[in-house]
Structures are given as C-alpha cells and as structure tokens.
Amino acid sequence: MLETGQRTMLSNDDYNELLYAQKGVCKICDKACSTGKRLSVDHKHGTRIVRGLLCLKCNAGIGMFQDSPGLLFSAIKYLQDAKKLDRRIVGVKWL
C-alpha cells in the first residue's frame, strides 16, 4: 500500500492503473517528475478521495495555494495582467 499522509492509501496495483491512465505523467503539467521519483498521490484533504498523480512541483504548488481554486484563479489573473504590463512598462519606480 502507498500512503499519502495518514489518511489516504492506494495499492500498488491501483497506483499503476492510475499511472497508466495518466500516460505516466503528471495530471497538471503532463510531465514526468523532474526528480526522477514516483508521481505523488494527490488527494482531497480530510478525505480518502484520490484526485490523481502529480509531480513534486505541481503537488507543492497546489498545496501552497491551499487547494483553493479561488486563489489559483487569482494567481492566473495576476500573471495574465502582469504579462500585459510587461509590454507597456519599461521601468517602474516604487514609492
């Protein structure tokens, strides 16, 4: 059995089935784990519900955003807005 924290458990067969269904890559970035380690079993916190397999970076990333779609949407908007500004602003003075 694979353990994720103390609540979620996944058999090796289930892990391999999920890995095959995801074509061996992270469910978010479509890449293998850059560390060469197995993909992490991502789960809904407070439950035993497995959401998918993620690479270390994506798993840490959604964790940093507290698994909050609202925070992630805010981050996306921030990056999109900043990209628009990149084209117009040459230098910025901070007051």
Side-chain angles (χ1 to χ4, degrees), residues 70-85:
L71 286 175
L72 286 165
F73 285 126
S74 292
I76 291 167
K77 183 176 180 339
Y78 169 80
L79 291 171
Q80 289 171 335
D81 291 347
K83 189 173 183 177
K84 292 174 194 171
L85 291 176

Side-chain angles (χ1 to χ4, degrees), residues 11-82:
S11 72
N12 285 324
D13 288 342
D14 288 340
Y15 179 92
N16 290 331
E17 187 176 321
L18 193 51
L19 185 64
Y20 179 79
Q22 289 183 206
K23 300 181 174 113
V25 296
C26 173
K27 193 155 187 169
I28 293 176
C29 71
D30 278 338
K31 296 179 182 173
C33 194
S34 61
T35 64
K37 294 183 180 181
R38 291 173 68 132
L39 294 172
S40 300
V41 178
D42 179 52
H43 65 284
K44 184 175 179 184
H45 292 267
T47 72
R48 297 174 62 96
I49 298 170
V50 173
R51 296 185 288 205
L53 303 176
L54 303 179
C55 71
L56 184 64
K57 288 181 180 181
C58 289
N59 193 33
I62 64 168
M64 294 298 250
F65 283 97
Q66 304 163 8
D67 293 352
S68 167
L71 286 175
L72 286 165
F73 285 126
S74 292
I76 291 167
K77 183 176 180 339
Y78 169 80
L79 291 171
Q80 289 171 335
D81 291 347

